[in-house]
Amino acid sequence: MDAAFTAEQEEMRRTLREILGKRCGPDEVKAAVRTACGHDRELWQQLSQRLGLPGLAVAEEYGGVGCTPADLALACEETGRALLPSPLFATAALCVPLITALGTAAQRSALLPPLAAGGLTAALAVPGPALATALALTGDNTAGPWSGGGRAGGVQARPDADGDGWRLYGEAAQVLDGHSASLLLVAAHTGGFARSRTLLFLVREDAPGLVRSRQATLDETRPQARIELRDSPAELLGEADADGEVLRALAATGATACAALAAEAVGAAAQALARTVDYVQQREQFGRAIGSFQAVKHRLADLYVQVQAARSAAYYAAWDPRQGGLGLAQALEALRVTAGEAIQLHGGIGFTWEHDAHLYFKRAAADELLFGPVHRLRAHAADRAGLFASPTAHVKVAV
């Protein structure tokens, strides 16, 4: 394994950090999340056209860059450092892989080029607070009624009377960037209780019966919406007999999305640590900077080691998606601990809700609620590795 980044990757990191450093300070972030769409549209277009960020996950034949998961993770580390509110994760890390894996040739040709160009954004709508389950991050997504199970609740799909399309009815909460996305990928159940199966459907932003409302969330930099579908017309993504493929595609998407999300968390943790180091060098107590006290140095050193370990885990997850859950757990824990220490080491001002340190704390808490918690990510990874399998299952009885 060669862990070194190429010259092109380093150039992308440098350029992205330069742009975000100028356009995405704490005040600009707070202003962007309070707009109707929840992000700076002008900055998003600049990142799309100049750097091709949304096209990192799109193949070259569809107008994308056709990069590896490591390139997307590298970009997400920089956007996480700035806590950039943008549709990048929802579009490039969640929806593009699903359209690529499941879509028909016509659907890929129609959707992937505008997604790569940034003119079209997409969001994955999963019923209930079950995004981590649907992506198989914390358990097997083939079990449990996470998308309705053919019963009441979730989102139900039925064919049109003429058989040319589908109709969706139900609701989905906690849809990342669902209030502003031009295209929704909705996980819905069809076939009733007896032949229940989960399929993905495409719903346009102007579809009749679609009601979207932005929700008040702990982390404003990652907007969420509630999606209501009231007999809304939809297009099936892929083929009707691909229900098993849908669950496998969701799990594969979850594995690769873990690397991007872990890199985001590492970038945020590294920036929170850097800002804290700058602060303790300036704040004085007893006639000297508090950063000169040994106890403070030890705390910062421990944080540095934890952030670097999380960065290594995130990069490894980008190289081997099978380790995505463990990489994500390591990164989320590093962000949570670093954000908490940052608030404490900023002293009294750090405990004020308006202080910038709370932006990182809110991101840590919200991400763990959406994609964790950490102990379940690790437990699922342990189950898949067979760490807790019964030893008697492998013992042969001598006669």
Side-chain angles (χ1 to χ4, degrees):
M1 172 185 176
D2 185 3
F5 290 111
T6 64
E8 291 80 4
Q9 289 172 327
E10 291 292 356
E11 178 64 18
M12 180 181 70
R13 183 204 293 271
R14 186 196 64 78
T15 304
L16 184 54
R17 186 175 298 187
E18 179 182 342
I19 293 175
L20 296 182
K22 295 177 180 178
R23 296 286 305 272
C24 204
D27 292 336
E28 289 82 2
V29 167
K30 294 174 183 177
V33 298
R34 288 172 173 81
T35 61
C37 63
H39 63 270
D40 186 341
R41 289 187 181 273
E42 182 182 345
L43 177 58
W44 171 247
Q45 290 302 317
Q46 182 181 0
L47 296 175
S48 301
Q49 296 168 9
R50 180 174 174 182
L51 296 180
L53 281 196
L56 290 175
V58 180
E60 292 184 41
E61 61 181 302
Y62 298 111
V65 184
C67 292
T68 65
D71 295 272
L72 182 60
L74 191 65
C76 286
E77 183 179 356
E78 294 305 316
T79 60
R81 183 185 298 274
L83 294 179
L84 173 70
S86 79
L88 178 63
F89 180 76
T91 298
L94 295 181
C95 293
V96 166
L98 290 172
I99 294 173
T100 302
L102 299 173
T104 63
Q107 289 171 335
R108 292 195 298 269
S109 298
L111 297 176
L112 291 179
L115 286 171
L120 182 69
T121 59
L124 176 62
V126 174
L131 183 58
T133 304
L135 296 175
L137 303 183
T138 56
D140 186 3
N141 66 357
T142 61
W146 62 265
S147 61
R151 302 175 184 268
V155 178
Q156 307 300 321
R158 60 175 178 81
D160 269 337
D162 54 11
D164 291 336
W166 293 80
R167 295 280 174 170
L168 302 185
Y169 190 91
E171 67 177 36
Q174 297 181 330
V175 180
L176 296 179
D177 294 296
H179 66 292
S180 61
S182 308
L183 178 70
L184 296 176
L185 269 67
V186 182
H189 256 276
T190 184
F193 179 69
R195 300 178 59 191
S196 176
R197 53 182 177 161
T198 302
L199 298 174
L200 286 178
F201 297 87
L202 303 171
V203 179
R204 299 286 180 172
E205 60 180 334
D206 57 352
L210 173 63
V211 179
R212 306 191 290 181
S213 56
R214 185 174 176 180
Q215 301 295 290
T217 58
L218 177 64
D219 179 18
E220 291 182 308
T221 64
R222 204 185 286 284
Q224 301 175 32
R226 176 182 296 277
I227 305 299
E228 296 180 39
L229 299 148
R230 302 170 180 174
D231 204 32
S232 301
E235 177 186 352
L236 177 66
L237 179 63
E239 304 295 339
D241 57 353
D243 52 313
E245 292 295 329
V246 168
L247 298 179
R248 285 190 287 272
L250 284 168
T253 297
T256 55
C258 276
L261 191 64
E264 260 194 7
V266 166
Q271 184 64 7
L273 177 58
R275 295 187 62 167
T276 304
V277 170
D278 290 341
Y279 180 77
V280 299
Q281 291 175 334
Q282 299 171 11
R283 181 188 170 196
E284 293 188 357
Q285 192 66 267
F286 306 111
R288 55 191 286 197
I290 65 171
S292 64
F293 295 119
Q294 190 176 44
V296 175
K297 289 180 179 180
H298 287 174
R299 292 172 72 176
L300 292 174
D302 289 341
L303 292 178
Y304 177 80
V305 171
Q306 190 162 7
V307 171
Q308 291 302 318
R311 176 176 282 115
S312 297
Y315 289 168
Y316 189 76
W319 179 74
D320 183 4
R322 294 174 299 177
Q323 309 305 321
L326 288 176
L328 179 57
Q330 185 90 354
L332 290 180
E333 185 174 47
L335 177 55
R336 170 167 43 84
V337 173
T338 304
E341 289 284 353
I343 290 175
Q344 288 202 5
L345 290 173
H346 273 79
I349 191 174
F351 280 86
T352 59
W353 198 241
E354 295 78 17
H355 193 271
D356 294 340
H358 282 271
L359 292 174
Y360 301 95
F361 177 78
K362 293 173 183 177
R363 171 62 68 89
D367 275 3
E368 193 163 355
L369 287 171
L370 272 173
F371 303 102
V374 166
H375 71 272
R376 291 191 62 189
L377 289 167
R378 287 180 172 146
H380 182 49
D383 288 341
R384 290 195 304 172
L387 294 182
F388 303 112
S390 174
T392 59
H394 306 285
V395 174
K396 293 183 178 180
V397 180
V399 179

